[in-house]
Amino acid sequence: MQRFFRSPRLLEIALPLAAVFIAFAIGGVLLWLLGANPLEAYWVLISGAFGNLNGLTSTLIKMTPLLLVALGICISFRGGVINIGGEGQIMMGALAATAFALWLRDLPGWLLLPLTLLIGAVAGGIWGAIAGILKARLNVNEILSTVMLNAIALQLMNFLLRGPMLDPAQIAAGTNVAQSETLPKSVWLLRLAPPTLLHSGVILALILAVLVYFLLWRTTIGYRIRTVGLNPSAARYAGMPAPFYIALSLTLAGAFAGLAGAVEVTGVQHRMLEGLSGGYGFSGIVAALFGKLHPLGAIPASFLFGGLLVGADKMQRAVQVPSALITAINGLVVMFVVASEVYVRRARRRAGREAAEASLKIEPNVHSVQTTAP
Amino acid sequence: MSDEFLTLATLIGIAHSGVRLATPYLYAALGEMFGQRSGVLNLGVEGVMLMGAFTAYYAVYLGGDPWLGVLAALATGALMGLLMAVISVTMQAEQGISGIGLTLFGLGLSSLLLKVLVGAPVSVKGFSVWEIPGLSAIPVIGPIFFDHNVLVYLAYLLAPASIYVLNRTTFGLKIRAVGQNPEAADSLGVRVNAVRYATVILGSSLAGLAGASLSIGLLSIFQENITNGIGFIAVALVYFGSWRPLGVLAGALLFSTINAFQLWMQVLGAPIPSDLAVMLPYILTIVVLAVGVKQIRQPAALTKPYERGE
Amino acid sequence: MRKFSWSLVLVLLAGLVFSACAAPVAAPAGGEVAATAPGAETAGGDAAGGDAAAPLRIAIIMPSSITDVAWSQSMYTGLKAVQAEMGGEAAMQISYTENMFNVADAATAIRDYAVDGNDIVIAHGTQYGNAMFDVAVEFPETTFAWGTAIDTGADKGLSNVFAYEAQAQEGGYVNGVIAALMGDSDTIGVVGPVEAGDAKLYIDGFVEGVKATKPDMQVNVSYTGSFGDTALAAEAANTHIKAGAKVLTGSAQQVVGAIGVAAENGVYWLGTQSDQSPLAPEWVVANQLYDWTGVIKDMIAKREAGAVGGAAYSLTLNDGLVIQFNDQAPVPAEVKAAAEKAIEDIKSGVITPLK
């Protein structure tokens, strides 16, 4: 019985939940101070995110870009590079996809849609590759370059959306609001549950999660990316060109973020506009790490994190507290959940030792205990 | 317009703006540098800056002296640093993500406090410009360097002070040892995690002060998300400076001066789209680092938590 | 050690929390604080317990915060004013969702508000247009309003959508006239956010107003590339002042930084969107206010008369745009007179800015 309570599997689920609970408890005090009923608020949060069709589809819509970005983050963090350039990569992907779909708007949808998504991924990939090549060739740290590239992408978007890509209708109306023309209907992703905005992009993201799992654990490229990430010098000894794999992992991370941008454009917005990246570049990192940097773990992680974001918005509306409170609680959740992982790791190590000792007594061949070290 | 662009007055103006703009970056980046030298990446600088900026503003708003605001910012920064240290050092959390959490927390809490305690922002009487007598009269140099508020001067004194602390004190030696080889430092009797607590708290206090240098220094007001990404740029500048105070100083000045330059170009009517002008500092920072600076390897233990005897 | 660190976290956060709750007692300012808290209670709890006459329920989704001293605040202030006029919470309830820079989130909010049975749902940003039209189709009884826009969805067969916009160039022109006469130098500076939309309209109108008044006046325009980069906006203001400007203007929530710099350097400021006088009482000369109360009241009246949508509103100096002089700033009578004349000329159509 005691064994069961100390088993790492159980802790792996229980501890993050406990961390969320503590963050909510602190948030609850703040809610109470603002004159809201915390229990009511949190009930709205949970039921609002998962309790009805509207909430559930909103969560799935939110999950889609989170999961796509998180998949890229899984690859890059496994490859030992910290990609915080998701925001810029999303913007570049969305811009390129929009420009492409508007340019070749007369192509049939079965051709135009895949090409549009591909172009989005390529553009995001290029934006990631810039940081990757800078790191591989010129030793420019990726945190620096991705932060700067985010700012550059933002200005490029401003420039394009108020000039070359500005919606002609906005010019005609004289309002000049920075957004592109509406995309041709042929590239709109299929709506899965009208009237909600849920679109087929979520299916694409789920399929890609499985593919990334195969890429990372069933292919040579994946093996090498992980080796370079875990131990660059060992990888070099084994004859792997580490710089190449570093550049590759940032490129792939950028491609997934770019695809997320293209999916947002074709699935949700149907045009390019400001604020499209919506913080997914950062939230995606959180989702990836909640999923233990595992592509399949990223699925429930981005679903739950997406639900948290959706539910928190509903809660703001229901009990009418400033949105800033929600942001603060989200920050607490993120901090406490990552902090709780240390206990999972310790429990796993302890279990590993105990298992090793036990098996030593019974049979000589010891099972090696795997620990996933990010 | 263009014929009068490169006058001496313009160049002095650009340099003067650059020196002033660099202030928050300097505090935040030099503080972050201490943490990173000891092996802790704190991506939460932005959140700490926001909390520091708010508490400094609020202290002055309640009628306090600006120096009280500075104290409030330092204390708030230290508290946020303690939180970060508990999570990242003791609990060994993934540092990139805990920093993002801290940023969200600071962004949310500072905006919430503004709403609850102040309402719509109103301006306060922060630090005024204090021309240093004598020095400010020197031609060219005077108007560029000695015509600022006191928090600007302090930021520049912080760079040599950091060099001294890092290279000439036992504390600095411990920081470097802990960041390069924590096992060896531990075996020599250095308390690795204590040093990291100290650097993270010191760094966050300075990030808080960076916030104060905005809210009661350059701007005399607080507004939601007043930092608008300065904290992230500051982290990037630590990499630019290769973890050396002078490198960080050079990076902050380069970034800010180019920013001042593009503002002047716009003001003087240079025929460049404004968005492309705004991009300049970001592009040039990357380019200069890529082709112009000899880089040093990062502290070997950066982002790696330390656990004894494992 | 583990217990110790957890208790540290808790103590730390408790400290932050209590500093948050203890302070309102000490805080001198009361108005806005009081306005938020009771609103929260009623919206959450008492909403369902309707009296005999159910109150009108209005919901609004905004891209920035209700205290942004600019676009979002202007509409929120308008709603609050109408609410007070109609008799407070009993007659009209306001729900708001702020900082909705993500359009997908805004789409959810719009739908939620419609499902929740609000009478009027205001999508306070052009970017929300597509999302709002999608929802508007399903809720023909609900009134929707959006701006900056002129499209009421008539071509989509919709009759329940109002659109609104502000002819920001009109007030911009008047502010330009004032600016040209206020400073004793030949240079004026403009601290712009992003060169698009409402900000561009205002700034273009402003420049035209200056040039019409004093053709030789030099107007320097700069953009920070962001709506929220307060620090860069402040430095832009510094730069304009160094370049000789004695009067400044600008728009979006970033300008709070620039206004501080103007006050510090003794330079006049002309505001737009919301009342910016409290930021620098002696230096903010005048503000172009977006007074949405007329639009809101007309929408309510139309709705009560049976028309749930269909009209497009435009704030002009004739209706809704107000040039408000700040009494604390010393404005010469002849400047006021020139401004009044410009206002009259625009109202009567003698001058049409940006045409």
Side-chain angles (χ1 to χ4, degrees):
Chain A
M1 197 62 199
Q2 207 194 351
R3 247 332 230 300
F4 175 73
F5 278 119
R6 293 174 70 188
S7 90
R9 285 268 162 222
L10 182 75
L11 277 179
E12 224 164 293
I13 298 165
L15 269 173
L17 287 180
V20 172
F21 183 79
I22 294 172
F24 277 9
I26 295 167
V29 176
L30 288 171
L31 278 166
W32 175 71
L33 287 171
L34 287 168
N37 178 348
L39 290 178
E40 182 201 340
Y42 287 129
W43 172 244
V44 171
L45 188 152
I46 293 166
S47 61
F50 307 109
N52 57 49
L53 183 72
N54 191 17
L56 204 58
T57 52
S58 300
T59 299
L60 288 170
I61 293 167
K62 194 113 207 167
M63 168 194 177
T64 307
L66 282 176
L67 179 55
L68 285 170
V69 173
L71 292 176
I73 297 294
C74 287
I75 299 173
S76 66
F77 274 47
R78 290 277 176 189
V81 282
I82 302 174
N83 173 33
I84 50 178
E87 289 287 293
Q89 292 150 5
I90 293 170
M91 284 182 230
M92 296 311 288
L95 279 169
T98 308
F100 180 81
L102 288 173
W103 178 45
L104 294 177
R105 65 182 79 196
D106 296 328
L107 283 183
W110 59 266
L111 182 61
L112 186 57
L113 176 58
L115 281 178
T116 302
L117 295 178
L118 184 69
I119 292 287
V122 168
I126 291 174
W127 214 242
I130 296 176
I133 293 169
L134 282 169
K135 173 154 178 111
R137 289 273 150 171
L138 298 162
N139 198 25
V140 174
N141 182 281
E142 75 275 13
I143 291 187
L144 182 140
S145 57
T146 47
V147 164
M148 300 289 167
L149 284 166
N150 281 346
I152 296 168
L154 175 68
Q155 293 310 323
L156 209 54
M157 180 185 80
N158 283 344
F159 173 72
L160 291 172
L161 283 186
R162 72 172 173 78
M165 286 172 69
L166 180 62
D167 184 1
Q170 288 291 332
I171 302 172
T175 39
N176 285 319
V177 171
Q179 59 183 23
S180 80
E181 205 179 328
T182 308
L183 295 182
K185 281 207 166 145
S186 55
V187 292
W188 294 9
L189 288 173
L190 185 69
R191 288 268 158 95
L192 295 180
T196 70
L197 300 183
L198 183 62
H199 55 85
S200 54
V202 67
I203 299 172
L204 178 69
L206 290 171
I207 295 171
L208 284 171
V210 178
L211 287 181
V212 171
Y213 168 73
F214 275 96
L215 170 78
L216 278 176
W217 273 277
R218 294 282 186 276
T219 67
T220 320
I221 293 180
Y223 171 73
R224 291 185 167 181
I225 288 179
R226 285 185 297 127
T227 313
V228 169
L230 275 177
N231 195 339
S233 44
R236 219 167 284 129
Y237 270 121
M240 297 174 195
F244 171 78
Y245 287 101
I246 286 171
L248 179 68
S249 50
L250 265 169
T251 308
L252 287 174
F256 276 99
L259 181 62
V263 166
E264 280 297 284
V265 167
T266 53
V268 182
Q269 318 286 8
H270 300 159
R271 59 153 46 111
M272 179 66 194
L273 35 71
E274 290 174 299
L276 177 122
S277 57
Y280 294 130
F282 290 102
S283 313
I285 300 178
V286 175
L289 281 146
F290 281 4
K292 315 272 180 201
L293 292 176
H294 193 292
L296 301 181
I299 297 174
S302 40
F303 179 72
L304 289 174
F305 194 58
L308 173 69
L309 296 176
V310 168
D313 270 349
K314 304 227 176 193
M315 170 177 130
Q316 188 220 332
R317 281 193 286 284
V319 298
Q320 203 74 142
V321 290
S323 65
L325 173 66
I326 313 293
T327 313
I329 295 178
N330 280 343
L332 289 177
V333 169
V334 171
M335 281 191 286
F336 289 0
V337 170
V338 279
S340 73
E341 277 176 6
V342 68
Y343 300 107
V344 181
R345 275 201 300 273
R346 281 186 189 152
R348 210 186 277 139
R349 263 201 305 266
R350 200 166 45 226
R353 269 199 306 272
E354 281 167 15
E357 281 161 17
S359 59
L360 267 175
K361 283 173 200 156
I362 301 162
E363 47 180 292
N365 26 344
V366 179
H367 298 284
S368 66
V369 179
Q370 296 243 323
T371 48
T372 40
Chain B
M1 285 167 226
S2 52
D3 53 313
E4 63 185 81
F5 183 61
L6 284 177
T7 60
L8 184 64
T10 310
L11 290 177
I12 290 175
I14 292 173
H16 178 251
S17 297
V19 165
R20 177 173 41 217
L21 264 180
T23 308
Y25 297 99
L26 267 178
Y27 283 119
L30 286 172
E32 173 75 9
M33 183 200 66
F34 279 103
Q36 292 202 11
R37 277 307 274 270
S38 76
V40 185
L41 164 70
N42 180 1
L43 266 186
V45 178
E46 179 91 359
V48 182
M49 281 182 71
L50 281 164
M51 283 302 294
F54 175 77
T55 46
Y57 167 78
Y58 190 58
V60 177
Y61 172 84
L62 291 180
D65 187 83
W67 287 108
L68 192 71
V70 167
L71 273 183
L74 286 170
T76 311
L79 268 178
M80 299 278 284
L82 183 62
L83 177 65
M84 181 70 190
V86 168
I87 290 172
S88 295
V89 178
T90 302
M91 310 184 75
Q92 306 178 353
E94 174 71 38
Q95 288 167 12
I97 191 174
S98 54
I100 292 176
L102 193 66
T103 294
L104 285 175
F105 178 63
L107 171 64
L109 192 59
S110 60
S111 309
L112 182 67
L113 291 174
L114 174 73
K115 279 231 165 75
V116 175
L117 301 181
V118 182
V122 293
S123 44
V124 296
K125 191 86 194 88
F127 287 104
S128 305
V129 170
W130 176 57
E131 294 181 19
I132 297 181
L135 291 177
S136 60
I138 305 170
V140 183
I141 306 288
I144 292 177
F145 292 105
F146 302 111
D147 182 18
H148 295 285
N149 73 61
V150 68
L151 288 183
V152 178
Y153 302 133
L154 279 180
Y156 286 87
L157 292 178
L158 191 61
S162 307
I163 296 176
Y164 177 78
V165 170
L166 266 183
N167 298 323
R168 296 289 157 87
T169 63
T170 341
F171 180 52
L173 183 67
K174 284 181 182 169
I175 293 175
R176 286 179 291 143
V178 165
Q180 275 313 329
N181 193 340
E183 290 81 11
D186 192 8
S187 66
L188 291 172
V190 177
R191 291 165 61 210
V192 174
N193 283 355
V195 171
R196 288 185 173 174
Y197 262 79
T199 54
V200 172
I201 291 173
L202 170 67
S204 284
S205 307
L206 290 175
L209 188 52
S213 79
L214 285 172
S215 66
I216 58 171
L218 304 181
L219 305 174
S220 305
I221 198 160
F222 183 85
Q223 172 72 299
E224 278 186 43
N225 193 16
I226 196 176
T227 50
N228 202 51
I230 290 178
F232 286 100
I233 301 285
V235 175
L237 289 175
V238 177
Y239 290 93
F240 184 95
S242 288
W243 301 273
R244 289 168 306 183
L246 280 183
V248 170
L249 175 67
L253 273 176
L254 173 79
F255 182 83
S256 307
T257 309
I258 300 169
N259 225 338
F261 171 74
Q262 66 89 4
L263 277 178
W264 273 92
M265 281 205 313
Q266 288 195 45
V267 166
L268 296 179
I272 301 176
S274 59
D275 333 76
L276 302 187
V278 174
M279 265 185 226
L280 260 185
Y282 304 96
I283 294 177
L284 284 177
T285 307
I286 296 183
V287 170
V288 168
L289 183 63
V291 302
V293 181
K294 189 165 175 288
Q295 288 179 71
I296 290 176
R297 296 181 73 95
Q298 67 177 37
L302 187 56
T303 75
K304 297 193 179 76
Y306 180 66
E307 190 152 15
R308 288 186 89 154
E310 296 281 335
Chain C
M1 188 59 199
R2 265 187 255 165
K3 270 188 185 160
F4 173 61
S5 28
W6 273 112
S7 33
L8 259 186
V9 173
L10 285 175
V11 168
L12 166 66
L13 287 160
L16 287 169
V17 165
F18 285 113
S19 68
C21 75
V25 189
E32 198 57 33
V33 186
T36 335
E41 278 160 29
T42 27
D46 303 347
D51 296 39
L56 181 76
R57 294 176 61 205
I58 299 187
I60 175 167
I61 298 100
M62 292 172 287
S64 47
S65 124
I66 55 165
T67 52
D68 68 351
V69 206
W71 172 248
S72 294
Q73 186 172 341
S74 74
M75 181 54 93
Y76 189 72
T77 310
L79 285 170
K80 279 286 180 193
V82 173
Q83 183 188 45
E85 201 174 309
M86 286 176 64
E89 293 277 343
M92 170 180 158
Q93 287 179 357
I94 305 169
S95 321
Y96 68 88
T97 301
E98 55 181 356
N99 289 325
M100 280 285 111
F101 49 82
N102 184 318
V103 179
D105 294 347
T108 309
I110 293 168
R111 179 174 299 276
D112 278 358
Y113 279 141
V115 170
D116 198 32
N118 280 281
D119 300 298
I120 301 177
V121 178
I122 303 174
H124 195 50
T126 317
Q127 62 269 41
Y128 306 147
N130 282 353
M132 184 213 58
F133 279 126
D134 280 350
V135 181
V137 175
E138 293 168 55
F139 295 88
E141 299 301 311
T142 308
T143 295
F144 292 86
W146 72 307
T148 304
I150 49 175
D151 179 8
T152 61
D155 57 334
K156 299 177 184 66
L158 288 170
S159 58
N160 58 335
V161 175
F162 290 112
Y164 56 86
E165 60 163 356
Q167 301 286 341
Q169 71 276 15
E170 295 195 357
Y173 186 96
V174 180
N175 273 3
V177 171
I178 301 169
L181 299 170
M182 278 305 284
D184 50 2
S185 91
D186 56 359
T187 308
I188 289 171
V190 181
V191 182
V194 175
E195 213 172 334
D198 183 75
K200 187 168 164 55
L201 280 183
Y202 170 76
I203 290 168
D204 289 351
F206 180 88
V207 174
E208 197 172 301
V210 174
K211 294 283 185 193
T213 313
K214 285 190 179 170
D216 295 336
M217 191 69 93
Q218 172 74 32
V219 187
N220 298 326
V221 182
S222 69
Y223 290 90
T224 59
S226 157
F227 295 99
D229 198 335
T230 320
L232 200 59
E235 197 52 49
N238 268 313
T239 307
H240 283 299
I241 293 167
K242 274 274 179 337
K246 288 278 168 25
V247 185
L248 295 178
T249 190
S251 84
Q253 59 267 37
Q254 55 150 0
V255 296
V256 292
I259 296 172
V261 169
E264 174 91 24
N265 287 280
V267 163
Y268 295 115
W269 179 269
L270 290 147
T272 184
Q273 294 183 325
S274 282
D275 182 6
Q276 297 167 346
S277 309
L279 295 169
E282 289 158 40
W283 298 102
V284 177
V285 177
N287 296 293
Q288 165 177 236
L289 300 187
Y290 291 6
D291 180 359
W292 298 106
T293 51
V295 173
I296 298 165
K297 280 195 270 191
D298 196 68
M299 287 195 295
I300 295 171
K302 281 214 169 64
R303 189 183 157 79
E304 275 165 6
V308 285
Y313 298 95
S314 186
L315 290 194
T316 63
L317 286 172
N318 274 317
D319 187 14
L321 288 184
V322 182
I323 300 295
Q324 170 216 49
F325 281 96
N326 174 15
D327 296 335
Q328 286 164 277
V331 186
E334 65 266 27
V335 177
K336 272 191 183 160
E340 298 297 345
K341 181 170 185 313
I343 293 170
E344 285 313 313
D345 284 352
I346 293 172
K347 278 183 176 175
S348 61
V350 176
I351 301 171
T352 313
L354 302 190
K355 275 285 144 67

